[in-house]
Amino acid sequence: MPKYVIEREIPGAGKLSGEQLRAISQTSCGVLSNMGPQIQWIHSYVTGDKIYCVYIAPDEAMIREHAKQGGFPANAVSKITAIIDPATAE
């Protein structure tokens, strides 16, 4: 199943409280539960004004539908073609 990185532009994302992040996570998990097992949230990175999320899904359309149902922006959706890390250099 393909993996995707979703870039969400959320001004002040890095200043969201733990409670606000929990609420966002709960909303996302609720939408995922309703959409079924084909789409999975792996994890997200919160930065100053953006959140980068890694998902597994059959296609970009399902990623965008999740964003629509959850009320989240999905400013860019990119299919991951490879994953590298320091071990790749060995």
Side-chain angles (χ1 to χ4, degrees), residues 68-90:
K68 179 181 172 186
Q69 288 186 29
F72 309 120
N75 303 93
V77 178
S78 301
K79 186 175 178 180
I80 297 170
T81 59
I83 297 173
I84 62 172
D85 61 25
T88 307
E90 296 175 2

Side-chain angles (χ1 to χ4, degrees), residues 49-67:
D49 291 318
K50 294 182 182 179
I51 298 179
Y52 297 91
C53 305
V54 178
Y55 277 70
I56 296 172
D59 54 38
E60 182 178 333
M62 186 166 262
I63 298 288
R64 294 201 177 275
E65 181 60 26
H66 170 266

